[in-house]
Amino acid sequence: MTRRSPSLKGHGVPGLRQQLLALCKADQWPILEPLPVTRFLGESFGISNVSAYRVLNELHDSGHLWRSATGRYYLPEARRLLEKPSPVGCLLRRLEKWTVVGQGIMQGVDHQCGVMDRAMLLVHDRVLFRQTAPSAPPAVGTCRELHQAMDDFLLIHAERISGVVLDELWPDHVLSAFEDRLKSGVVLYRRTALGFLGSVSADVDLAARTVIEHARKNGFEKLALLVPPGKYPPSEEMALAIRIAARGKFPRPPTLKFVAGLNATALIHSLSKHRKRVLVVATEDNLAADFLDATRAAGLDTPTSIGLLSTMGSRIAAERS
């Protein structure tokens, strides 16, 4: 019997046993490929399905074959590979492009995979992330490119992973097309409206209430939201939560889109025109640090009436106070 078809058609139970033993000794069958089903073997060797099953089971009991939990039979060497826990697939941006918070979340994923004795399969797709500087908006592929990237990933890896970890750059409108194929999927660092996916995200509502409490406690009378240009889900979620928390306590915060090296001077001058104390709330730590550096590089003394607060709370913000 070759991989394609049996060579001893009609030789009965002895022929089937002989061919299976020959496969085991000669290593002629792919380790991770199951042997043909009993119906195929029965028809090929002129015996019943029951007789074919008895031969397979007999060779399993003698250690010549191994039966997996699915009921399929393999060469015994397959057991070592197939009984290992399936790895967790991680479809993410390149490692060097991770945010500080993203690094922290992935450390948690890595720790939990260790607890569950599961490996991590890290897959990076260039379509997912393009960024020229930390404060520049991340550019992702088109809907068609992302759909193709996800389809390729699942075609290659779906059968050998136990779940999928996705970063925040994967949009819901792309992921929704894969409901039947994305099992045990988790999106990192943003919320998702898709019921078949889980998410790990910041408690932006608590953060927003903390911002408002800080602003009132320190005598600020206005808020202004400093956000990156373009769309970035975590920043958008934080900005929306702050607007909601500010209702009835502060005027609706204006949105200031900051591009490093371009408009820090104009933003400072526009904020300085207000006679009231203004708290500038940055929705991302790199953004806050770049804004602070840009004002100093431009020789601007930030007025004492302007405060700067970053909501992410990573070590970047802590190091810059």
Side-chain angles (χ1 to χ4, degrees):
M1 183 174 66
T2 66
R3 177 177 177 177
R4 295 289 181 182
S5 60
S7 60
L8 296 177
K9 183 175 177 66
H11 280 62
V13 168
L16 174 59
R17 183 181 292 108
Q18 178 184 344
Q19 286 294 295
L20 291 175
L21 287 172
L23 283 181
C24 295
K25 293 178 181 179
D27 194 25
Q28 295 178 357
W29 194 265
I31 292 178
L32 295 180
E33 184 172 326
L35 291 168
V37 296
T38 54
R39 179 180 178 182
F40 178 84
L41 293 175
E43 292 176 351
S44 300
F45 286 85
I47 59 179
S48 67
N49 293 357
V50 174
S51 295
Y53 170 75
R54 287 174 178 168
V55 173
L56 290 169
N57 199 48
E58 174 189 318
L59 294 178
H60 164 71
D61 291 341
S62 64
H64 290 93
L65 296 178
W66 172 67
R67 183 176 62 237
S68 73
T70 65
R72 298 298 299 273
Y73 290 84
Y74 295 80
L75 297 185
E77 292 82 2
R79 182 174 188 175
R80 171 177 54 87
L81 300 173
L82 294 179
E83 283 196 335
K84 286 184 176 181
S86 300
V88 175
C90 302
L91 188 51
L92 312 163
R93 71 189 75 180
R94 292 181 62 83
L95 297 178
E96 66 269 21
K97 300 297 185 181
W98 285 359
T99 63
V100 173
V101 173
Q103 292 173 21
I105 293 175
M106 285 308 301
Q107 287 174 0
V109 173
D110 177 65
H111 171 75
Q112 192 60 30
C113 283
V115 171
M116 299 188 300
D117 192 28
R118 294 186 183 275
M120 292 173 63
L121 175 66
L122 292 174
V123 178
H124 310 294
D125 198 303
R126 293 185 179 183
V127 167
L128 185 59
F129 189 88
R130 306 182 190 100
Q131 189 178 37
T132 57
S135 58
V140 299
T142 64
C143 181
R144 183 176 180 178
E145 289 174 327
L146 290 173
H147 189 282
Q148 186 64 62
M150 178 60 71
D151 188 53
D152 292 346
F153 172 80
L154 293 174
L155 282 173
I156 297 171
H157 302 292
E159 293 187 359
R160 59 192 182 110
I161 59 176
S162 57
V164 184
V165 174
L166 304 161
D167 67 19
E168 74 276 16
L169 299 179
W170 285 96
D172 278 358
H173 67 268
V174 170
L175 299 179
S176 62
F178 296 91
E179 180 173 0
D180 295 336
R181 299 168 64 188
L182 269 178
K183 303 301 181 183
S184 301
V186 177
V187 180
L188 301 181
Y189 198 32
R190 73 167 178 84
R191 295 172 176 175
T192 176
L194 301 176
F196 64 92
L197 293 177
S199 69
V200 178
S201 60
D203 187 343
V204 293
D205 298 323
L206 175 59
R209 292 195 296 271
T210 303
V211 168
I212 300 304
E213 180 181 342
H214 173 83
R216 299 182 72 177
K217 181 178 179 180
N218 289 276
F220 290 101
E221 301 166 278
K222 291 178 66 68
L223 301 177
L225 296 174
L226 190 66
V227 301
K231 292 186 176 182
Y232 183 53
S235 289
E236 292 174 342
E237 289 181 8
M238 185 64 70
L240 176 60
I242 292 172
R243 290 190 190 98
I244 293 174
R247 289 174 183 170
K249 302 178 180 69
F250 291 93
R252 179 177 175 82
T255 299
L256 311 175
K257 292 195 174 184
F258 169 65
V259 181
L262 293 181
N263 62 341
T265 301
L267 288 179
I268 287 291
H269 285 325
S270 66
L271 293 170
S272 300
K273 294 178 181 178
H274 297 283
R275 295 182 179 179
K276 298 180 179 180
R277 296 192 69 208
V278 181
L279 177 63
V280 177
V281 183
T283 57
E284 202 270 339
D285 285 352
N286 282 309
L287 192 67
D290 283 348
F291 181 74
L292 187 61
D293 290 341
T295 59
R296 291 173 176 171
L300 299 172
D301 291 326
T302 305
T304 56
S305 60
I306 300 176
L308 177 62
L309 178 70
S310 189
T311 59
M312 188 182 291
S314 74
R315 59 177 172 78
I316 292 175
E319 290 168 357
R320 303 301 298 274
S321 300

